[in-house]
Amino acid sequence: MSNDSGHKSLLRRVADLYVDGFRSMTVGRSLWLLIIIKVVIFFAILKLFFFPDVLSVSYDNDSDRADAVRSSLTAE
């Protein structure tokens, strides 16, 4: 048996473990769905309130935005 097939076999066994585990879940599925929804909402709120798109507000077109980023990166 070569190393490649040994690794694939191990990876396949690990994947099968997770697939079978998720397939047999009943309550866990709804919990995972709840977790995914919360993470999506959390990152959407972070994006909206904590990382505003300052360049689109301050500059009218893409070339002005590119110049602003370029000058900000090269300023010493």
Side-chain angles (χ1 to χ4, degrees):
M1 202 179 228
S2 69
N3 279 343
D4 247 359
S5 64
H7 286 301
K8 288 181 183 177
S9 175
L10 176 64
L11 291 175
R12 182 65 184 173
R13 286 185 293 175
V14 170
D16 286 341
L17 176 73
Y18 280 101
V19 169
D20 290 340
F22 281 112
R23 189 176 295 141
S24 64
M25 272 197 228
T26 54
V27 175
R29 286 184 183 176
S30 58
L31 292 176
W32 274 108
L33 181 64
L34 181 65
I35 290 169
I36 291 170
I37 290 171
K38 287 173 72 172
V39 166
V40 167
I41 290 172
F42 180 72
F43 282 114
I45 289 172
L46 279 178
K47 171 75 172 115
L48 288 174
F49 293 112
F50 295 109
F51 301 109
D53 194 3
V54 176
L55 290 175
S56 68
V57 173
S58 301
Y59 301 99
D60 294 331
N61 55 34
D62 286 339
S63 64
D64 290 342
R65 291 182 195 112
D67 290 337
V69 170
R70 195 175 300 115
S71 66
S72 175
L73 290 174
T74 57
E76 292 182 19

